[in-house]
C-alpha cells in the first residue's frame, strides 16, 4: 500500500472481484480498504490461494489498467529499500511518476523499426580498454567499467556510442547524469547518433504530463534507451543491457527524499540483478568507484600517459599570497601566474574561465577593525552585501543592518570576509578594461560561450563549455573547497577542479590551468599530474584506516534527543556496530552515528527499519530521520 509507515512495509492479500479480473494486472494502481479508509496501493501479484487464515477484503477499484510498475523495477526497489532502511512505498514514489489519465488515453505511436547500426569506435580507441568495452556491449555481454575521461573529452558522444552498441545488440540502456545541462548535451548526442524516437530523456523540469508520456513510452517498450537525472535510474527499460552514470560524485545524484538512495547504487543494484553492463564515468574519480576497481568488480578504462600528455592542459599551482606586482592584478586578488595566464590567453583571442567557489557579491562580511564576523542583531545570522552600494542584510531573516555596530570593539565599518563570483567579476573587469565579462551561476547558468577573448566567471558546476576550449582556467579561493568540514571535502574539491580544468585547451595549443593553492597538497598534485586514480586510491585508503564509507557502512539518526534514544533502545543492533555521538545539529536536534563493516550493512539497515516500525506502530510523536551511507557527513 502507498502508505509511508514503516510497520506497514509488507504485502497484503485481497480478493479480486469478477468485474475487475480483466483489468487487475500485476503492476497496476489500485484502491483498497484498510483500517476503514480507502487507500492507494500497487497490485504486485495474482495467486490462486492465500496463507492468510482470516477473512479477506475485496479489491475496491483498479485506478488504471496500465501496468506501470515493471517487475524488474519492483525487484530493484525492494532491494534499494532494504539497503537504505526505507519502505517500499517510498522507493516506488521515486520510481514511478504520478499518473496522468489523459496521457494514458492518447493513441500509442509506432515504435521505430530496424536495427540500430554499430557505432564508430574511434573515440574509444584512445583508451587501451575502450574499444574492447564497446565490442563487448555490441556482442550482448555485460562488461563493468570505471572510466576516467581524457581532458577535453566529448563525453556525451562516448556515452552515446556505448548506448548505440547496446541497442545494436538488442538490449536496453539507462544513463543518469546530474543536471539539465548535462542531460541536454547527452540528449543531443544520442539523437544525432541514433536518430529520432530511439530514446527518451526524463527530468522533473519536463512537467508531470510530458514526463509521464515519456515514461510510458519506455514502459510500453517503444524506446530501448532512457537518459535522465537521478529518478531515471529506475526507468522501466526492457532487457536492460547497460547502466551508466556520469560524474557520480555530484551531490545531485543523492536523492533528498526518503530513503535517500544514491543513483549510482540504484544502477549497480539493477545491473547486478539483470546481468547488465556498467559504466561509471567522469573526469575525476570517487572513492566508491575506486572500490569497484579494488574489489575486482569492475575494470578500469583510462588513457595511457602519452595520450594524457597530448590532451591535458599545463597545470600550474600558485600561492594566493604572491600577488602580481601590477596594482590592478593585486586588487583582483590574482597571483602572478594566474594574471600572466589570463593575459596571454586573452591576447591570443581565447576565453578565460575563472572558477569562484562562492556565489553572490560578498556573501560574508566582518568588522574592519577587529575582523570579527558581522552578524544580525535580531537572529545572529551572517550579514552579506548584494552590491557595492547596498546595505548589509542578514542571509537568514533578510533584515537590513544599516546601523550595524560590532559588539566586540564598537567598530562600524565592514570589510569583505568572503568574496563572491559577482564581486570577483567586478574586480577583474576593472583589472582588464575592454574585455567582456560573463558570469554563470545560480541566477543564470550559461550552456556555452563563443571562441573569443572574454572573461567567464562561474561557480563550481556552472562552467559553460567554450568552443575550442578555454585558453586559461583559473581556480581561485581553493581554501573554500578544501577546508569544508565534510568527509568528501578533498574528493569534492578534486571533482570540481578536474571538471573545470577539462574544459581547457590541450597544453600543445596553449591551454593552461592555474590553481591558487599550496603545491604540496595531494589534491593539487593529482591535478598537476592529471592522475585522479592516484588520488581516489589514496582517499579510499584513508577511509579504510578511519572506518568511513565506502570502506564501511554508516548510518545517521537525526532528531530530537529523546526520539533518537528511543529508537536506539528499540533497535536490536547486530554485533560489532559502533555507536558514535551524539552530535548537535540544531537548536533542539542531535545526530548519532552508527558504524559497521560492509558485510553488516543489511543487518544494520533491517534493525533500524524494524525499530522505526515499532515507533510508527506506537505513534511516536517525534520522527527520526534514518540515512544509510549519507552523501554528507
Amino acid at each position: 500500500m502507498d502508505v509511508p509507515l514503516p510497520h506497514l512495509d509488507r504485502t497484503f492479500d485481497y480478493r479480486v472481484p469478477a468485474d475487475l479480473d480483466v483489468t487487475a494486472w500485476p503492476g497496476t494502481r489500485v484502491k483498497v480498504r484498510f483500517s476503514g479508509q480507502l487507500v492507494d496501493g500497487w497490485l504486485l501479484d495474482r495467486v490462486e490461494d492465500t496463507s492468510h487464515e482470516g477473512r479477506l477484503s475485496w479489491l475496491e477499484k483498479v485506478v488504471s489498467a496500465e501496468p506501470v510498475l515493471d517487475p524488474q523495477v519492483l525487484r530493484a526497489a525492494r532491494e534499494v529499500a532494504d539497503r537504505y532502511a526505507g519502505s517500499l512505498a517510498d522507493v516506488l514514489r521515486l520510481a514511478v511518476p504520478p499518473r496522468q489519465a489523459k496521457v494514458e488515453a492518447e493513441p500509442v505511436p509506432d515504435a521505430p523499426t530496424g536495427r540500430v547500426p554499430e557505432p564508430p569506435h574511434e573515440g574509444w580507441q584512445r583508451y587501451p580498454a575502450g574499444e574492447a568495452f564497446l565490442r563487448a556491449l555490441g556482442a550482448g555481454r555485460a562488461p563493468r567499467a570505471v572510466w576516467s575521461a581524457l581532458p577535453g573529452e566529448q563525453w556525451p558522444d562516448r556515452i552515446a556510442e556505448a548506448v548505440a552498441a547496446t541497442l545494436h545488440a538488442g538490449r536496453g540502456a539507462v544513463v543518469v547524469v546530474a543536471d539539465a545541462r548535462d542531460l541536454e548535451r547527452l540528449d543531443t548526442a544520442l539523437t544525432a547518433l541514433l536518430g529520432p524516437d530511439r530514446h527518451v530523456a526524463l527530468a522533473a523540469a519536463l512537467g508531470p504530463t510530458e514526463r509521464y508520456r515519456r515514461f510510458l513510452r519506455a514502459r510500453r517498450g517503444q524506446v530501448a534507451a532512457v537518459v535522465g537525472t537521478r529518478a531515471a535510474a529506475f526507468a522501466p527499460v526492457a532487457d536492460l543491457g547497460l547502466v551508466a552514470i556520469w560524474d557520480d560524485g555530484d551531490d545531485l545524484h543523492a536523492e533528498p527524499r526518503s530513503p535517500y538512495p544514491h543513483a549510482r547504487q540504484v544502477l549497480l543494484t539493477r545491473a547486478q540483478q539483470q546481468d547488465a553492463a556498467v559504466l561509471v564515468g567522469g573526469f575525476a574519480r570517487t572513492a566508491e568507484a575506486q572500490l569497484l576497481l579494488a574489489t575486482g568488480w569492475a575494470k578500469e578504462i583510462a588513457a595511457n600517459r602519452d595520450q594524457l600528455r597530448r590532451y591535458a592542459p599545463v597545470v600550474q599551482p600558485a600561492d594566493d599570497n604572491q600577488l602580481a606586482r601590477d596594482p590592478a592584478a593585486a586588487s583582483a586578488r590574482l597571483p602572478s601566474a594566474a594574471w600572466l595566464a589570463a593575459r596571454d590567453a586573452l591576447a591570443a583571442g581565447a576565453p578565460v574561465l575563472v572558477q569562484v567557489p562562492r556565489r553572490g557579491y560578498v556573501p560574508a562580511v566582518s568588522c574592519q577593525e577587529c575582523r570579527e564576523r558581522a552578524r544580525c542583531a535580531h537572529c545572529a545570522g551572517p550579514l552579506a552585501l548584494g552590491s557595492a552600494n547596498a546595505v548589509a542584510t542578514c542571509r537568514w531573516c533578510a533584515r537590513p543592518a544599516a546601523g550595524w555596530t560590532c559588539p566586540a570593539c564598537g567598530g562600524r565599518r565592514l570589510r569583505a570576509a568572503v568574496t563572491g563570483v559577482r564581486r570577483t567579476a567586478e574586480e577583474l573587469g576593472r583589472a582588464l578594461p575592454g574585455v567582456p565579462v560573463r558570469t554563470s551561476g545560480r541566477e543564470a547558468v550559461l550552456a556555452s560561450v563563443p571562441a573569443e577573448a572574454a572573461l567567464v566567471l562561474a561557480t563550481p558546476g556552472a562552467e559553460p563549455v567554450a568552443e575550442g576550449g578555454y585558453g586559461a582556467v583559473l581556480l581561485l579561493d581553493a581554501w573554500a573547497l578544501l577546508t569544508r568540514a565534510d568527509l568528501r571535502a578533498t574528493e569534492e574539491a578534486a571533482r570540481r577542479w578536474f571538471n573545470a580544468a577539462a574544459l581547457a585547451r590541450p597544453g600543445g595549443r596553449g591551454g593552461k590551468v592555474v590553481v591558487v593553492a599550496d603545491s604540496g597538497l595531494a589534491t593539487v598534485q593529482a591535478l598537476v599530474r592529471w592522475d585522479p586514480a592516484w588520488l581516489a586510491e589514496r582517499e579510499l585508503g584513508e577511509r579504510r584506516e578511519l572506518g568511513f564509507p565506502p570502506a564501511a557502512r554508516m548510518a545517521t539518526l537525526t532528531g530530537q534527543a529523546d526520539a533518537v534514544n528511543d529508537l536506539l533502545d528499540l533497535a536490536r543492533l547486530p554485533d560489532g556496530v559502533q555507536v558514535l555521538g551524539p552530535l548537535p545539529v540544531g537548536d533542539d536536534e542531535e545526530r548519532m552515528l552508527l558504524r559497521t563493516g560492509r558485510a553488516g550493512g543489511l543487518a544494520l539497515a533491517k534493525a533500524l527499519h524494524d525499530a522505526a516500525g515499532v515507533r510508527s506502530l506506537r505513534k511516536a510523536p517525534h520522527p527520526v530521520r534514518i540515512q544509510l551511507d549519507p552523501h554528507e557527513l
Side-chain angles (χ1 to χ4, degrees):
M1 293 180 298
D2 191 9
V3 179
L5 297 175
H7 70 279
L8 298 180
D9 185 28
R10 61 187 181 89
T11 58
F12 294 85
D13 290 354
Y14 281 83
R15 299 177 68 186
V16 179
D19 61 325
L20 299 180
D21 182 56
V22 177
T23 57
W25 288 89
T28 56
R29 292 180 169 99
V30 297
K31 286 186 178 293
V32 296
R33 289 282 175 185
F34 185 83
S35 189
Q37 295 182 337
L38 195 62
V39 300
D40 294 323
W42 293 97
L43 199 158
L44 303 185
D45 198 8
R46 292 282 301 271
V47 295
E48 291 290 339
D49 51 26
T50 176
S51 59
H52 182 69
E53 296 180 355
R55 181 183 177 184
L56 293 183
S57 299
W58 291 96
L59 189 69
E60 290 285 337
K61 179 182 179 181
V62 175
V63 177
S64 169
E66 187 82 43
V68 291
L69 181 56
D70 182 86
Q72 297 295 342
V73 173
L74 172 62
R75 182 182 171 198
R78 180 69 270 175
E79 186 167 330
V80 168
D82 293 342
R83 178 184 177 87
Y84 287 96
S87 299
L88 178 61
D90 286 334
V91 181
L92 292 181
R93 284 198 199 98
L94 306 176
V96 183
R99 178 181 181 242
Q100 304 294 318
K102 64 179 180 179
V103 175
E104 295 180 352
E106 293 174 352
V108 179
D110 295 332
T113 59
R115 190 179 184 186
V116 174
E118 186 176 3
H121 291 194
E122 289 77 9
W124 284 99
Q125 288 175 349
R126 294 182 294 175
Y127 306 89
E131 188 174 11
F133 177 78
L134 209 63
R135 292 193 183 281
L137 291 177
R141 299 196 297 272
R144 301 186 291 246
V146 174
W147 170 38
S148 292
L150 279 166
E153 178 66 272
Q154 296 298 317
W155 60 266
D157 294 339
R158 303 293 84 78
I159 294 180
E161 290 159 3
V163 171
T166 306
L167 269 59
H168 175 74
R171 304 191 71 183
V174 172
V175 184
V176 175
V177 295
D179 55 35
R181 287 195 312 149
D182 287 348
L183 180 58
E184 183 179 0
R185 293 182 63 190
L186 182 57
D187 186 29
T188 302
L190 280 168
T191 302
L193 186 60
L194 301 178
D197 301 325
R198 292 281 187 178
H199 78 283
V200 292
L202 293 178
L206 293 170
T209 300
E210 181 60 26
R211 182 187 175 196
Y212 192 63
R213 181 179 293 115
R214 298 186 183 188
F215 173 86
L216 285 185
R217 290 191 63 196
R219 179 66 183 97
R220 292 166 175 172
Q222 295 173 290
V223 294
V226 175
V227 298
T229 49
R230 58 176 177 260
F234 291 101
V237 172
D239 192 12
L240 186 63
L242 171 68
V243 297
I245 185 170
W246 173 256
D247 197 14
D248 64 304
D250 196 311
D251 59 2
L252 292 177
H253 288 302
E255 176 59 53
R257 293 171 293 178
S258 179
Y260 319 103
H262 195 285
R264 176 187 53 240
Q265 186 57 48
V266 175
L267 293 176
L268 295 180
T269 298
R270 296 190 67 183
Q272 188 78 15
Q273 290 180 347
Q274 298 180 246
D275 192 26
V278 175
L279 181 63
V280 179
F283 292 115
R285 184 180 295 176
T286 61
E288 284 79 5
Q290 185 63 30
L291 183 64
L292 299 178
L293 298 175
T295 57
W297 194 85
K299 301 297 182 182
E300 183 181 44
I301 296 179
N304 55 37
R305 299 308 300 180
D306 290 338
Q307 289 280 32
L308 277 174
R309 282 190 288 269
R310 179 181 177 185
Y311 290 99
V314 176
V315 181
Q316 179 181 355
D319 190 339
D320 57 359
N321 292 320
Q322 299 173 355
L323 298 179
R325 294 182 179 179
D326 190 317
S331 67
R333 301 175 295 112
L334 286 181
S336 300
W339 174 252
L340 293 174
R343 190 181 62 184
D344 293 346
L346 293 171
V352 174
L353 174 64
V354 184
Q355 186 191 77
V356 184
R358 304 288 189 178
R359 63 176 181 262
Y361 188 75
V362 177
V365 292
S366 60
C367 176
Q368 178 69 40
E369 281 72 29
C370 69
R371 304 298 194 263
E372 183 74 17
R373 183 63 62 90
R375 295 192 173 275
C376 176
H378 296 275
C379 69
L383 298 183
L385 289 174
S387 65
N389 299 319
V391 175
T393 57
C394 178
R395 290 168 53 190
W396 291 359
C397 67
R399 295 172 187 249
W404 179 84
T405 302
C406 178
C409 69
R412 300 180 63 85
R413 293 188 301 165
L414 295 171
R415 68 185 299 272
V418 177
T419 304
V421 63
R422 289 196 289 112
R423 171 66 179 270
T424 305
E426 184 180 282
E427 294 171 346
L428 287 175
R430 287 196 297 263
L432 295 165
V435 178
V437 178
R438 299 182 175 92
T439 59
S440 180
R442 183 177 184 178
E443 292 82 6
V445 178
L446 301 177
S448 62
V449 293
E452 60 185 26
L455 285 169
V456 182
L457 286 90
T459 52
E463 301 90 351
V465 178
E467 298 177 11
Y470 290 97
V473 174
L474 313 181
L475 307 175
L476 304 185
D477 298 338
W479 58 270
L481 297 177
L482 294 173
T483 58
R484 292 171 58 235
D486 186 73
L487 172 67
R488 301 180 185 273
T490 298
E491 181 179 280
E492 180 66 7
R495 187 186 69 83
R496 294 181 175 186
W497 290 351
F498 274 103
N499 286 351
L503 300 176
R505 296 175 177 178
R509 293 175 48 209
K512 182 173 286 188
V513 176
V514 179
V515 52
V516 184
D518 184 356
S519 61
L521 296 173
T523 317
V524 177
Q525 286 297 309
L527 185 63
V528 170
R529 300 198 305 268
W530 203 275
D531 196 353
W534 170 79
L535 185 64
E537 186 176 2
R538 176 190 174 103
E539 185 76 8
L540 179 60
E542 291 179 352
R543 304 233 193 131
R544 279 181 173 142
E545 292 181 7
L546 299 173
F548 284 125
R553 298 294 308 280
M554 184 167 284
T556 62
L557 311 178
T558 307
Q560 293 189 7
D562 293 342
V564 172
N565 292 332
D566 180 41
L567 189 142
L568 283 175
D569 291 340
L570 294 172
R572 299 180 179 179
L573 298 178
D575 295 337
V577 174
Q578 291 180 282
V579 181
L580 309 174
L583 305 172
V585 293
D587 294 337
D588 58 350
E589 287 192 344
E590 66 178 29
R591 176 172 298 157
M592 298 291 288
L593 305 180
L594 308 181
R595 179 167 57 189
T596 187
R598 288 183 56 80
L602 285 179
L604 173 60
K606 185 178 186 307
L608 294 176
H609 181 266
D610 292 346
V614 174
R615 298 190 76 245
S616 172
L617 186 61
R618 294 177 178 177
K619 298 182 180 180
H622 302 297
V624 176
R625 185 167 67 252
I626 302 174
Q627 290 183 265
L628 269 291
D629 298 335
H631 189 75
E632 293 185 357
L633 275 177

